[in-house]
Amino acid sequence: MILVAGATGNVGGELVRALAAAGEPVRALTRGQAPQAPRTSQVSASAFSARGTFPPRVETVTGDLNDPDSMRDALTGATGMFLLSGYQNMPGTLAQANRAGVRHIVLLSGSSAGSGDMSNAISRYMIESETAVRESGLAWTILRPFGFMSNALQWVPQLRGGDVVRAPWATVRVAVIDPYDIAAVAALALTSGGHEDQCYTLSGPEPMLPGERVRVLGEVLGRDLRFEGQPDDEARAEMSKAMPARYVEAFFSFYGDGTLDESRALPTVRDVTGRPPRTFRRWAREHAGAFR
Ligand SMILES: NC(=O)c1ccc[n+]([C@@H]2O[C@H](COP(=O)([O-])OP(=O)(O)OC[C@H]3O[C@@H](n4cnc5c(N)ncnc54)[C@H](OP(=O)(O)O)[C@@H]3O)[C@@H](O)[C@H]2O)c1
């Protein structure tokens, strides 16, 4: 039995579907309610998730990653777990998993963890989560994806109001990755041997500017969309409404100061899965309904 945290989110949702399609017993963790309160020690760059219903035969369980005791029932009988980064008392949750008989953890981290920069609040929570997993005594696989294609869902409100997308860091290319591909790597790590104690940095197939993503999205939606670079002060003010200041600063350090380079397409998805990562055009087609 594989327990999937973040099962209502972009990556976890894809992972639940992938495992169920492969006939693996899978258990989807939710907090039993729609997400409302911001997480205390973790930030999600995606304000919207590709939510859907779970396939038949998927068990749903409740638990809160910030509260290891609440995870006991969810973990009982699980042998593998997909875990998100940045929650309180990660060592406590991992000890709970160990006691329950879990043997393998796949952790969703991020590429910035590779910097080792503890002064950046996002890198820091990822590094701390990776350390907890490495020290848990369980077999582990760490996934360090680049920026997600699904971050484009943040544009949904703007696109409901018109054809212009305003977004920051207009000149920063990112080889964005489809959460489907992150989940595909996670599924293989959890169900086949040879991925223990591996750390995979994962990218999509090509570096893209935000304006290029908007153009492709417009072509897929049949709309004449226009991209406008957002001035830093406007972006800072907008982001500050959605997340604590330390995370706003972390993103500006990554993409404003250029401390994070996610501009190169990497071979990892192909190496692990045997096929190339999906394109942004494919992602946009699969998720066009969310923009209509
Ligand atoms: N977006 C990016 O570009 C990017 C890049 C690299 C790494 N990452 C990492 O990926 C993570 C986001 O992944 P995602 O996009 O798949 O997620 P998401 O769509 O933002 O959804 C968040 C998920 O986390 C669950 N969750 C939130 N708080 C929880 C708690 N206290 N206990 C248990 N579950 C909780 C939510 O479940 P409920 O149904 O209970 O709300 C939901 O399923 C980020 O937070 C970041 O760490 C993101």
Side-chain angles (χ1 to χ4, degrees):
M1 175 61 76
I2 296 168
L3 176 65
V4 177
T8 58
N10 294 299
V11 181
E14 295 285 10
L15 179 56
V16 166
R17 287 188 281 280
L19 291 170
E24 298 286 343
V26 53
R27 198 178 271 170
L29 180 78
T30 74
R31 285 173 295 170
Q33 58 183 38
Q36 292 147 359
R39 281 151 279 169
T40 44
S41 61
Q42 198 255 11
V43 65
S44 170
S46 60
F48 296 84
S49 295
R51 287 167 197 282
T53 53
F54 296 124
R57 289 189 299 280
V58 172
E59 279 183 30
T60 54
V61 284
T62 55
D64 186 331
L65 289 173
N66 283 321
D67 176 6
D69 285 344
S70 76
M71 294 291 297
R72 196 173 299 138
D73 290 349
L75 283 161
T76 301
T79 52
M81 180 183 187
F82 177 73
L83 181 60
L84 309 180
S85 292
Y87 294 92
Q88 292 167 1
N89 196 0
M90 299 283 288
T93 297
L94 289 159
Q96 195 74 261
N98 212 338
R99 277 194 293 277
V102 170
R103 294 191 292 269
H104 191 170
I105 299 283
V106 173
L107 178 74
L108 180 62
S109 179
S111 74
S112 76
S115 69
D117 180 5
M118 298 295 275
S119 71
N120 181 296
I122 293 176
S123 305
R124 184 189 179 103
Y125 81 64
M126 289 176 172
I127 293 165
E128 287 175 345
S129 301
E130 289 190 3
T131 302
V133 165
R134 288 176 205 268
E135 293 177 352
S136 67
L138 300 166
W140 51 263
T141 309
I142 290 171
L143 307 182
R144 290 178 174 173
F146 283 9
F148 295 179
M149 291 180 181
S150 50
N151 293 346
L153 293 166
Q154 290 169 341
W155 302 335
V156 165
Q158 296 188 68
L159 290 174
R160 293 218 171 102
D163 290 330
V164 177
V165 171
R166 290 171 67 79
W169 311 306
T171 59
V172 176
R173 283 179 206 279
V174 175
V176 284
I177 183 165
D178 190 331
Y180 177 94
D181 287 321
I182 305 170
V185 172
L188 282 169
L190 285 160
T191 58
S192 60
H195 302 286
E196 295 81 5
D197 301 355
Q198 298 293 316
C199 181
Y200 294 128
T201 302
L202 304 170
S203 83
E206 57 172 339
M208 294 181 84
L209 296 170
E212 292 170 334
R213 298 200 288 276
V214 169
R215 181 178 51 74
V216 171
L217 184 61
E219 287 166 9
V220 167
L221 298 176
R223 288 174 62 178
D224 189 14
L225 301 184
R226 195 158 51 81
F227 173 78
E228 276 178 13
Q230 198 176 27
D232 285 356
D233 53 351
E234 183 186 314
R236 218 179 264 278
E238 201 166 285
M239 290 167 70
S240 299
K241 289 182 204 154
M243 63 183 78
R246 64 186 185 282
Y247 295 138
V248 178
E249 290 318 310
F251 282 117
F252 268 90
S253 164
F254 290 157
Y255 302 120
D257 303 339
T259 60
L260 184 64
D261 181 3
E262 297 186 327
S263 67
R264 277 183 320 118
L266 305 174
T268 331
V269 169
R270 185 193 284 271
D271 289 348
V272 175
T273 66
R275 53 154 188 83
R278 287 185 167 186
T279 62
F280 183 73
R281 187 174 296 276
R282 171 92 186 257
W283 179 88
R285 283 201 194 108
E286 301 277 343
H287 296 274
F291 294 89
R292 294 202 165 106

